[in-house]
Amino acid sequence: MKRGNLNNFSTSGSSSSSPSSMDKGKMWECEMEEPGIDDELFGVLGYKVKSSDMAEVAHKIQQIEVAMGNAAIDGYSQFPAAMDDTFHYNPSDLSSWLEGMLSGLNPLPEFDSSFDSFLESATGGLAVDDLDFGSDLVAIPGKAVFANIQFHQPSPENRNQHQPPSKKAKTSPSMGDFISLVESSPAPRSILIDSQENGIRLVHTLMACAEAVQQENFKLAEALVKNVGFLAVSQAGAMRKVATYFAEALARRIYRLYPVNHHPQDLAFTDMLQMHFYETCPYLKFAHFTANQAILEAFAGKKHVHVIDFSMKQGMQWPALLQALALRQGGPPTFRLTGIGPPSPEDTDYLQEVGFRLAQFAKAINVQFEYRGFVANSLADLDSSLLDIREDETIAVNSIFELHQLLANPGAIDKVLRIIREMKPDILTVVEQEANHNSNFFLDRFTEALHYYSTLFDSLETCDGGGGADEAISRKNKMISEVYLGQQILNVVACEGVDRVERHESLTQWRNRFNSAGFEPVHLGSNVYKQAIMLLAVFDGDGYSVDENDGCLMLGWQARPLIATSAWTMSDGYGERWNRRKYVQRRHAPMSES
Amino acid sequence: MEQLLVHCAAAIESNDATLSQQILWVLNNIAAADGDSNQRLTWGFLRALITRATKTGNTKLLTAVAHLHSNNNLPIIHNHRFSIIELASFVDLTPWHRFGFTAANAALIEAVEGFPVVHIVDISLTHCMQIPTLIDAIATRMKMLPVIKVTVAGTVEELPPFPDFTYDELGTKLVNFAMSKNLILEFRTVPCSCSDGFSALIEQLQLPQDPGEALVINCHMMLHYIPEETINSCSLRDMFLKTIRTLNPTIVMLIDEDADFTSINLVNRLISAYNYLWIPYDTMETFLPNGNKSREWYNADIYWKIENVVSHEGRQRVERAETKSKWVQRMRNVGYRGVSFSEEAIGEVKHMLDEHAPVWGLKKDENEQHLVLTWKGHNVVFATAWVPAA
């Protein structure tokens, strides 16, 4: 019976195994990373770094992201690491180079002018605008990412010129104008010359840079991305943060420093980030409430229910559903939960831990509970026959921000939709970002993402932060949420191929997929809509909008929809239990033969 | 469900958005405005908590919630305005008020026997609904028929049950009714306010009175609307009681709800309210069949209380009931002596209770000085009689 099941918990005490965490016994082989390819790439670029170091490097880059976000906040740094005065500058050692950048990102007063001259000397006195991409790789990364710090120090040639950047051609800047802007203007001495103008110019510069990247004109792109840095610091709040992330993403793309994010530690890190995001603003909560409402309604009157969660993470979605089921008229059903997630970092087994916690909770509220965790690198590796679907169960499949990742692998989404159909769910709840960040045309993707994440960051500014009375916790939550979103930005803009997993698509696109794959929509109903409005009215600020879109619900900020919840069932009536029973019997026959 | 409500209140108070929203979501799915008494009770509290939580929000969202209301998910709670007839029969449906009426009438008739003029100051939530039965009792039981003067506290504050008539109309009807019983009744209203301890009324009463007059102060479910805070060792409630005492009343009746809604702490208040207000919801099953219009009226009036206790603060929060023991303590401190109810009085109350469901009960405390109405053994309303201590 146990066909390699992991993490089996049940409160009924029936078929439980003791949690044998050491027996990882993965069901499916991990994709093996191609050894050494990263090493080669970096070797070519002159970096001595091993791909095994990348996790640490990634972590440090994340620190930079946060620190850059803080650079203009006076004396405000929450990252204790690497903020020492010693400056290491050995360009062939990527890791310590990053350390150096972090140390250099101290708040303004501590900025050492000698640093800049050190930099100059290290690069042989190359001026900002005179760098030939590809020739002096050593110097480029330092300057590129330091763009907003150099801002405070005029470059040597222009130290004596004080004129503010020229204000020509704001509305339709030509490439030439930008280049000359970069070449001639000194770093302005005052920060806030004309914030709004700079804001407009900032967006234009970003777009111009993206266009340059699209056209593979990397020299121009590089120059532009530095300029973004200058302009970004003159902005406040969301605009600055968004610009900084997009600039970094462009820089990575230009310098081929692609972020790598698929180690278990990275995924666990992202999960942690997501938890803070959950606390800070209403998006994930909305996703959970709306999906749960649809599931609760689908479970009405049913005695045995089974939820298969593709987005298990920390299981934040389920306590509320369990509680509602526990207190419903007629008493709770028996509840099975199958949680699916990626492998945990060494020495941890989060799937098991989550299951255990939920089992304890269920016991406390008197709900008969069974749990299984399945580890899978990709949903496409699932085998529905191993999920032990029982005949009399009402099945809900739940996916929050997971399906779009499958689009990185050709054929994967279709396979997964087939697998879902094999489970014969009574309801499938899907929440996805409402945007098209999957265009093959880079510039389109960039533009879409810029608008989307600008809106999202805007909403973060006014967020309560989820810290209750504790200001510091709220601030921290917000910062971490920004890092969380920043990771997505990096992925959308700087990654390609299988690494680019943040392939968001719009509701319309998803609808087409589901319809073609044999699903039909389940209208979410006015109850879900009203609940959503009511819950947003409590605590969450002004500016959020809930829209009903042909049976689906969308949550947006300032009338721009940002996430969409939809519910589906099988379109050929197989969702009906009695139909399914027949199908299941038929299905069992071939299995026993093999 | 009480647990959930309590946790929700705590979460709202500590500004924990995530937890509040989760619990509100659960409660929204298990409470029902039209379910059994437990569900309706939970629904009432849920609704009040939502109102409280959204108060910290802004108007845009409040309109969103109001929009919600109009779509029937949270229907607008409409408190019925009663005509005199409607109110009379409404009040008669349960012993909730009848208990206080019967006990008070019995006690005061005994106390004022022999006085040529009986001046009744009626500070009552029920807009003089006690008076008809009092007139009747006086007419039938008193040997010497007195002249009856009724002074009514016409409060500025609107409290449920809301009247759809003026006190003038009411007065006329009462005078006529008294005439039909061969009694002379004088009726006047004194506008006043609970928030200052009915000071306007007291001023009126302090004007020189006829020495042959029996002064009866009948406080029926109103005193708990006087703010109870003690500032500089001065409490409006105590002041009121003290001043009344200086008027040398023949008897003072104090009837009120036996519950404590005075805690500053929301969670404690919620727990008290939950553990008391389940009673009116529960009693509804016995006297109001489903579908009866009066159910909605009754629900709405209970909800008014819940909302006031849970989602209001400061001056707006007027529902500040205190327990019987607390009131008794106050009365004693201020210089009153309790008076026992006679056998006849108790008999009358029992007789009245027989007309209602057997689950209603009567408790006697302290040598029959305190009568308590009970529902399934739980204290509901207490009735006490007092005279100034020597």
Side-chain angles (χ1 to χ4, degrees):
Chain A
M1 223 319 255
K2 290 287 159 22
R3 292 181 286 185
N5 290 334
L6 301 170
N7 315 314
N8 200 330
F9 293 103
S10 68
T11 50
S12 54
S14 52
S15 58
S16 171
S17 58
S18 60
S20 50
S21 55
M22 290 309 112
D23 176 26
K24 292 285 176 181
K26 292 197 183 90
M27 303 250 351
W28 303 276
E29 292 300 302
C30 298
E31 290 170 21
M32 290 306 294
E33 288 176 15
E34 303 192 8
I37 197 162
D38 288 340
D39 298 328
E40 282 174 12
L41 198 61
F42 281 101
V44 159
L45 290 174
Y47 290 90
K48 296 185 178 54
V49 65
K50 297 185 281 298
S51 54
S52 52
D53 287 343
M54 283 315 289
E56 205 198 290
V57 170
H59 182 64
K60 290 203 170 101
I61 289 179
Q62 273 148 357
Q63 287 186 325
I64 294 171
E65 291 162 18
V66 182
M68 283 170 81
N70 288 335
I73 304 170
D74 291 338
Y76 183 78
S77 171
Q78 295 219 358
F79 273 102
M83 289 306 195
D84 54 308
D85 286 329
T86 49
F87 173 75
H88 309 283
Y89 190 74
N90 179 359
S92 63
D93 181 349
L94 184 57
S95 184
S96 47
W97 161 61
L98 289 169
E99 284 277 340
M101 289 217 293
L102 283 174
S103 68
L105 279 171
N106 271 329
L108 187 51
E110 293 164 41
F111 191 81
D112 190 0
S113 63
S114 66
F115 160 73
D116 195 53
S117 48
F118 183 104
L119 196 59
E120 296 292 342
S121 61
T123 62
L126 290 169
V128 168
D129 49 354
D130 194 22
L131 292 168
D132 189 10
F133 177 78
S135 65
D136 194 348
L137 293 162
V138 163
I140 291 169
K143 279 195 183 276
V145 189
F146 264 121
N148 60 342
I149 294 300
Q150 278 212 329
F151 160 84
H152 298 300
Q153 287 290 331
S155 53
E157 297 87 334
N158 298 318
R159 205 158 273 181
N160 294 321
Q161 296 177 24
H162 294 298
Q163 75 254 36
S166 53
K167 297 188 179 189
K168 51 186 172 174
K170 294 181 294 210
T171 49
S172 54
S174 66
M175 286 304 159
D177 281 335
F178 275 121
I179 293 170
S180 59
L181 189 73
V182 168
E183 284 171 350
S184 67
S185 73
R189 285 204 180 274
S190 57
I191 297 177
L192 289 168
I193 289 172
D194 185 334
S195 172
Q196 199 180 36
E197 251 187 46
N198 278 349
I200 297 171
R201 198 165 329 142
L202 177 58
V203 175
H204 282 304
T205 315
L206 275 170
M207 295 303 305
C209 182
E211 204 176 320
V213 167
Q214 169 81 55
Q215 293 161 356
E216 304 202 356
N217 183 350
F218 292 112
K219 184 172 167 189
L220 173 61
E222 176 203 2
L224 288 170
V225 87
K226 286 170 197 164
N227 212 35
V228 172
F230 293 135
L231 294 166
V233 192
S234 72
Q235 298 302 301
M239 192 66 231
R240 188 193 72 243
K241 294 169 190 172
V242 169
T244 311
Y245 279 117
F246 275 90
E248 186 194 329
L250 284 167
R252 282 173 175 279
R253 208 183 169 88
I254 294 168
Y255 300 121
R256 314 253 172 94
L257 265 173
Y258 305 119
V260 174
N261 221 358
H262 45 247
H263 292 104
Q265 302 96 297
D266 306 317
L267 297 171
F269 184 70
T270 306
D271 278 1
M272 182 277 283
L273 297 180
Q274 194 186 65
M275 288 235 344
H276 288 272
F277 180 69
Y278 175 80
E279 288 287 331
T280 309
C281 44
Y283 302 105
L284 254 188
K285 289 180 241 185
F286 173 89
H288 288 177
F289 293 135
T290 47
N292 276 349
Q293 190 69 31
I295 296 174
L296 185 67
E297 287 172 12
F299 283 175
K302 308 286 195 230
K303 290 278 183 279
H304 307 284
V305 304
H306 183 182
V307 173
I308 299 167
D309 190 3
F310 285 174
S311 35
M312 192 61 198
K313 306 258 189 311
Q314 294 302 314
M316 308 278 279
Q317 186 172 350
W318 307 118
L321 182 65
L322 283 168
Q323 184 72 270
L325 287 170
L327 291 171
R328 71 173 187 179
Q329 287 282 52
T334 65
F335 190 98
R336 278 180 73 205
L337 177 62
T338 299
I340 296 167
S344 296
E346 235 179 79
D347 289 346
T348 66
D349 188 345
Y350 80 93
L351 271 181
Q352 172 191 309
E353 285 161 19
V354 171
F356 187 61
R357 279 202 305 271
L358 286 172
Q360 287 188 307
F361 178 75
K363 190 161 177 209
I365 58 173
N366 294 318
V367 174
Q368 240 189 322
F369 181 83
E370 236 186 272
Y371 174 82
R372 259 183 218 151
F374 281 104
V375 172
N377 276 297
S378 164
L379 292 173
D381 298 336
L382 279 179
D383 183 344
S384 61
S385 61
L386 296 164
L387 291 176
D388 186 29
I389 310 263
R390 296 169 198 167
E391 269 191 39
D392 52 357
E393 283 179 339
T394 308
I395 298 197
V397 176
N398 182 70
S399 162
I400 314 256
F401 300 144
E402 286 293 324
L403 293 183
H404 61 258
Q405 300 183 28
L406 296 167
L407 301 175
N409 285 316
I413 183 67
D414 298 313
K415 184 160 181 235
V416 170
L417 290 177
R418 262 200 323 273
I419 295 172
I420 297 176
R421 273 188 65 92
E422 284 168 17
M423 299 174 193
K424 305 261 146 269
D426 292 76
I427 190 161
L428 161 69
T429 47
V430 176
V431 181
E432 284 290 328
Q433 289 90 341
E434 176 58 12
N436 185 357
H437 296 155
N438 198 19
S439 168
N440 282 325
F441 194 54
F442 172 74
L443 190 56
D444 283 351
R445 213 160 73 226
F446 183 88
T447 316
E448 270 284 309
L450 187 58
H451 284 127
Y452 183 82
Y453 285 100
S454 297
T455 312
L456 210 37
F457 270 77
D458 267 345
S459 76
L460 265 188
E461 290 293 303
T462 66
C463 252
D464 165 82
D470 195 332
E471 268 294 306
I473 293 184
S474 293
R475 266 206 310 267
K476 179 175 152 205
N477 277 343
K478 285 201 202 188
M479 248 186 44
I480 296 182
S481 302
E482 286 158 13
V483 175
Y484 172 73
L485 294 175
Q487 272 194 342
Q488 291 183 5
I489 293 173
L490 290 187
N491 193 276
V492 174
V493 173
C495 293
E496 282 300 344
V498 296
D499 287 331
R500 179 158 66 85
V501 292
E502 297 295 346
R503 294 185 181 242
H504 312 148
E505 287 194 350
S506 69
L507 181 61
T508 316
Q509 289 166 293
W510 284 110
R511 275 203 176 111
N512 287 336
R513 274 187 217 282
F514 288 122
N515 283 325
S516 330
F519 292 92
E520 66 183 20
V522 172
H523 273 229
L524 286 175
S526 58
N527 214 8
V528 190
Y529 176 70
K530 285 169 198 164
Q531 281 252 34
I533 295 201
M534 184 269 285
L535 290 169
L536 278 176
V538 177
F539 287 117
D540 294 306
D542 215 349
Y544 289 101
S545 52
V546 178
D547 292 302
E548 197 257 346
N549 178 316
D550 208 9
C552 301
L553 269 191
M554 307 219 246
L555 174 64
W557 172 259
Q558 305 292 1
R560 156 80 213 239
L562 293 171
I563 67 172
T565 305
S566 56
W568 305 85
T569 190
M570 316 259 286
S571 62
D572 36 7
Y574 279 130
E576 302 299 326
R577 247 193 302 156
W578 63 273
N579 259 333
R580 187 157 56 85
R581 243 187 239 126
K582 285 191 207 162
Y583 180 86
V584 164
Q585 283 161 9
R586 272 205 307 273
R587 191 166 62 90
H588 272 160
M591 282 292 288
S592 56
E593 281 166 19
S594 60
Chain B
M1 291 207 226
E2 180 188 345
Q3 279 300 307
L4 276 182
L5 286 168
V6 167
H7 285 138
C8 191
I12 292 176
E13 285 300 276
S14 60
N15 244 330
D16 185 344
T18 305
L19 186 58
S20 321
Q21 286 172 336
Q22 287 194 341
I23 303 183
L24 283 172
W25 179 82
V26 175
L27 285 170
N28 219 13
N29 275 304
I30 60 178
D34 51 2
D36 65 30
S37 64
N38 218 14
Q39 284 179 306
R40 280 179 287 119
L41 173 67
T42 306
W43 186 89
F45 275 87
L46 168 64
R47 171 80 187 263
L49 281 172
I50 294 176
T51 307
R52 186 186 180 94
T54 54
K55 272 187 176 172
T56 54
N58 47 54
T59 41
K60 217 192 206 178
L61 290 163
L62 290 177
T63 31
V65 177
H67 177 67
L68 209 60
H69 291 199
S70 65
N71 279 345
N72 253 338
N73 190 31
L74 291 183
I76 297 175
I77 306 242
H78 174 69
N79 290 96
H80 181 74
R81 300 199 81 92
F82 294 83
S83 70
I84 298 179
I85 305 287
E86 281 173 340
L87 186 58
S89 44
F90 190 71
V91 154
D92 254 6
L93 287 172
T94 85
W96 197 282
H97 293 289
R98 288 191 75 195
F99 168 79
F101 292 170
T102 316
N105 286 348
L108 76 90
I109 284 181
E110 284 169 18
V112 304
E113 186 67 69
F115 282 84
V117 181
V118 176
H119 182 186
I120 299 157
V121 179
D122 195 23
I123 308 174
S124 167
L125 189 59
T126 61
H127 313 290
C128 304
M129 286 300 123
Q130 181 176 346
I131 308 297
T133 46
L134 178 60
I135 292 172
D136 204 44
I138 290 176
T140 47
R141 278 187 282 158
M142 285 182 83
K143 303 174 195 90
M144 254 181 57
L145 297 182
V147 168
I148 308 171
K149 287 163 76 172
V150 174
T151 303
V152 176
T155 56
V156 172
E157 295 88 353
E158 286 233 277
L159 304 161
F162 301 107
D164 193 23
F165 51 84
T166 63
Y167 275 20
D168 286 340
E169 291 171 45
L170 183 63
T172 316
K173 285 211 154 57
L174 288 174
V175 168
N176 290 339
F177 179 68
M179 269 189 351
S180 73
K181 304 273 175 180
N182 293 320
L183 285 167
I184 303 168
L185 185 112
E186 284 172 35
F187 182 91
R188 65 168 178 166
T189 314
V190 177
C192 52
S193 165
C194 310
S195 60
D196 62 11
F198 304 107
S199 59
L201 173 66
I202 294 189
E203 273 171 37
Q204 273 296 311
L205 295 175
Q206 282 170 330
L207 300 175
Q209 305 290 339
D210 196 342
E213 224 176 65
L215 182 63
V216 175
I217 317 287
N218 186 51
C219 305
H220 185 97
M221 315 267 198
M222 279 297 269
L223 294 193
H224 71 255
Y225 291 106
I226 304 176
E228 93 290 7
E229 293 101 333
T230 309
I231 309 165
N232 299 332
S233 69
C234 163
S235 149
L236 271 176
R237 286 188 187 182
D238 288 340
M239 290 254 339
F240 171 80
L241 296 170
K242 224 185 250 188
T243 323
I244 294 285
R245 190 179 168 287
T246 63
L247 299 173
N248 208 18
T250 314
I251 193 165
V252 176
M253 306 301 305
L254 205 167
I255 290 106
D256 221 305
E257 296 165 347
D258 193 2
D260 183 2
F261 296 165
T262 58
S263 174
I264 315 172
N265 180 295
L266 170 70
V267 172
N268 290 342
R269 233 167 44 232
L270 188 141
I271 295 177
S272 278
Y274 189 85
N275 283 301
Y276 181 77
L277 293 170
W278 70 269
I279 297 174
Y281 278 110
D282 202 34
T283 65
M284 238 165 84
E285 304 303 321
T286 62
F287 65 89
L288 280 178
N290 247 330
N292 193 315
K293 254 241 135 199
S294 313
R295 268 179 95 90
E296 286 168 37
W297 303 344
Y298 198 75
N299 269 329
D301 283 358
I302 305 173
Y303 178 69
W304 194 98
K305 274 178 138 65
I306 298 177
E307 193 182 62
N308 194 276
V309 174
V310 169
S311 75
H312 286 64
E313 286 295 345
R315 298 185 118 240
Q316 280 197 311
R317 180 165 63 86
V318 295
E319 289 288 350
R320 293 173 185 246
E322 276 181 339
T323 59
K324 167 172 78 80
S325 9
K326 193 84 211 289
W327 282 111
V328 166
Q329 194 62 42
R330 279 190 197 274
M331 293 298 273
R332 291 198 178 132
N333 287 346
V334 162
Y336 287 89
R337 176 176 58 85
V339 174
S340 302
F341 288 88
S342 67
E343 285 276 334
E344 289 90 1
I346 295 173
E348 290 214 29
V349 174
K350 281 191 180 153
H351 189 72
M352 180 276 299
L353 282 181
D354 286 339
E355 294 172 26
H356 297 277
V359 227
W360 292 102
L362 174 65
K363 230 166 65 170
K364 292 168 278 190
D365 283 346
E366 302 239 6
N367 300 328
E368 277 92 57
Q369 280 181 27
H370 311 156
L371 295 183
V372 182
L373 173 69
T374 62
W375 170 262
K376 296 183 179 173
H378 298 263
N379 288 10
V380 183
V381 174
F382 67 88
T384 53
W386 306 86
V387 293

